[in-house]
Amino acid sequence: MHDTLEMAILGTEPKQTAVVLARCGTDMAIENLPIGQELRDLLSFRDHVDQSLHSLKDRPLEVDLAKFGNDLFKYVIRGDVERIYYGLPTDALVRLNILSNSQELQSIPWEYMQDPKQPAGPWVVRSVVRIIPTVGSNPPNPLPLATLNRKLKILFAFADPVDQDPVSWSDVKDAVERALQAGIPANNYELKVIDANPKALAEALQETQYDIFHFSGHGVVDENGVGQVLLMDRTGNRSIPYSAAKLSMILRSRGIRLVILSACYTSSGNYTDKFDVTAIALIGAGIPAVVANQFPVPDSTVATFVKPLYDSLFKNGDIDLAVNEARYLLANDPALTQGAFATLEWGIPTLYRHVAGSLILKP
């Protein structure tokens, strides 16, 4: 039996108040969250992680990352919330649903949360899911692959402009293709690959309805906190900033069930404006689920994460579980061994979704 622990972290500004609401079955608890030095310490470590991925600081040690994960856990799992958590079976599937209307709380990398009573690292039966509240937006029923009278359609758009660092988009595409070949009969899917320039993207979306949209390229946050993906001009030479609002506008009402953004900072930005963070803007536009990155993501790790993500999705249809599996395998990739330093890559991807958007496919 799978148990679901739903958690809502709510607060306006750190200097006012914040609470955690937890519910599992008929058990419910509310606990106040500290808003002083404890919260500032969590934010400080977040900045350390970000800067270390830019090589501006040394990577934290494994012991430091484990302590940070334990601190995140203790920050939220307290009082009666802790009683609910430890009342669950140890093999239960727990989805920790994070909601917050505070920029400080939203910017914390909850993905690194660690149960102090368990080994350090991601855990395949514990999900960290960022739920975006929506009104009047209901995700479609899971797509039944076995009885589908059409092909599963994936649109893969890549942008590798010459004025940016190279992107190994072909490795990512190959990873998607291998997952499709292993999980779905050859005649039951269609993978369309396009250059990610605005015209080609608009034409592809008008041409047919896609179930999954995957972007491989660069993402940035500008000086005003606006999240952007970098598309290409029509010649493929130069990058074109494409804001979170523009991307959500062009993808909305197209029947897309899942968006995967293999690009940096696609779940970062000004959290006080729902149109400034790409992942949040897409959920607001009616996309049920978005996988994006909260930090700069090393190019060499993207395909390593993407392959098990699709493998698991085609096996069980649940995007929460798929991200779990991909995160777990990324954490255990021998190529990322850092010695005494922390392997940070497994906590970079984030999952944002509609409250009812976990089941994408029905295998």
Side-chain angles (χ1 to χ4, degrees):
M1 177 180 179
H2 289 172
D3 294 272
T4 300
L5 174 60
E6 298 176 344
M7 298 179 60
I9 300 174
L10 305 173
T12 50
E13 293 296 332
K15 293 182 180 179
Q16 295 183 24
T17 186
V19 299
V20 55
L21 167 67
R23 176 180 178 272
C24 183
T26 58
D27 292 334
M28 181 178 290
I30 299 176
E31 295 289 342
N32 289 322
L33 297 177
I35 54 176
Q37 187 60 46
E38 194 169 348
L39 179 57
R40 288 192 291 272
D41 289 343
L42 297 178
L43 291 169
S44 176
F45 193 88
R46 188 247 186 235
D47 294 338
H48 184 180
V49 171
D50 193 7
Q51 292 175 29
S52 70
L53 290 165
H54 280 290
S55 299
L56 300 176
K57 282 188 176 182
D58 289 337
R59 283 191 172 224
L61 300 175
E62 284 285 359
V63 65
D64 297 327
L65 184 63
K67 180 182 182 303
F68 175 66
N70 292 342
D71 290 344
L72 283 174
F73 185 93
K74 295 172 186 175
Y75 183 80
V76 174
I77 310 296
R78 55 178 63 231
D80 284 343
V81 174
E82 183 180 24
R83 290 180 56 200
I84 294 176
Y85 179 88
Y86 283 119
L88 294 170
T90 56
D91 61 347
L93 171 63
V94 178
R95 306 176 199 252
L96 303 174
N97 296 339
I98 308 298
L99 297 91
S100 176
N101 54 1
S102 161
Q103 174 156 332
E104 287 76 8
L105 290 171
Q106 284 191 357
S107 67
I108 290 174
W110 300 103
E111 288 68 23
Y112 292 113
M113 186 183 294
Q114 303 284 307
D115 184 339
K117 297 183 180 181
Q118 299 294 333
W123 200 7
V124 293
V125 291
R126 294 291 187 272
S127 299
V128 176
V129 183
R130 297 168 183 260
I131 302 297
I132 304 302
T134 57
V135 177
S137 174
N138 297 313
N141 292 326
L143 197 66
L145 294 182
T147 58
L148 194 63
N149 57 6
R150 62 171 179 82
K151 294 182 178 181
L152 174 74
K153 294 190 175 184
I154 300 175
L155 178 61
F156 184 96
F158 70 91
D160 194 14
V162 297
D163 60 344
Q164 302 292 327
D165 292 335
V167 175
S168 57
W169 65 267
S170 60
D171 292 341
V172 180
K173 176 187 69 72
D174 291 345
V176 177
E177 287 182 327
R178 292 198 307 273
L180 283 165
Q181 292 165 1
I184 299 179
N187 294 328
N188 289 12
Y189 69 84
E190 176 185 320
L191 176 65
K192 183 178 180 65
V193 181
I194 63 169
D195 293 345
N197 67 71
K199 185 175 185 296
L201 181 56
E203 288 177 348
L205 291 169
Q206 288 176 329
E207 179 182 283
T208 189
Q209 178 178 320
Y210 291 93
D211 303 298
I212 299 174
F213 173 71
H214 192 139
F215 172 76
S216 180
H218 291 282
V220 298
V221 175
D222 71 12
E223 65 275 8
N224 297 315
V226 178
Q228 303 172 334
V229 294
L230 300 183
L231 302 188
M232 297 188 295
D233 60 24
R234 294 187 65 179
T235 66
N237 291 329
R238 310 295 295 180
S239 58
I240 299 176
Y242 212 70
S243 70
K246 283 185 177 180
L247 187 63
S248 64
M249 176 192 69
I250 198 171
L251 294 181
R252 74 179 306 141
S253 303
R254 295 291 183 182
I256 296 172
R257 296 166 180 267
L258 172 64
V259 169
I260 300 174
L261 301 173
S262 295
C264 303
Y265 290 123
T266 40
S267 60
S268 292
N270 174 24
Y271 295 95
T272 61
D273 190 323
K274 62 183 179 180
F275 298 112
D276 285 352
V277 179
T278 304
I280 296 176
L282 290 172
I283 299 298
I287 306 295
V290 178
V291 179
N293 296 296
Q294 59 187 321
F295 295 124
V297 54
D299 185 64
S300 61
T301 69
V302 176
T304 305
F305 176 81
V306 162
K307 174 64 163 56
L309 176 74
Y310 279 97
D311 282 340
S312 180
L313 183 65
F314 296 149
K315 177 187 277 187
N316 56 54
D318 190 310
I319 189 60
D320 295 17
L321 300 182
V323 171
N324 286 2
E325 290 287 354
R327 201 187 299 283
Y328 175 79
L329 290 177
L330 186 58
N332 288 280
D333 183 1
L336 298 179
T337 301
Q338 301 290 330
F341 293 101
T343 300
L344 299 170
E345 284 75 11
W346 61 267
I348 295 175
T350 59
L351 171 60
Y352 283 73
R353 66 167 171 80
H354 186 282
V355 67
S358 62
L359 283 178
I360 304 296
L361 306 174
K362 183 179 179 182

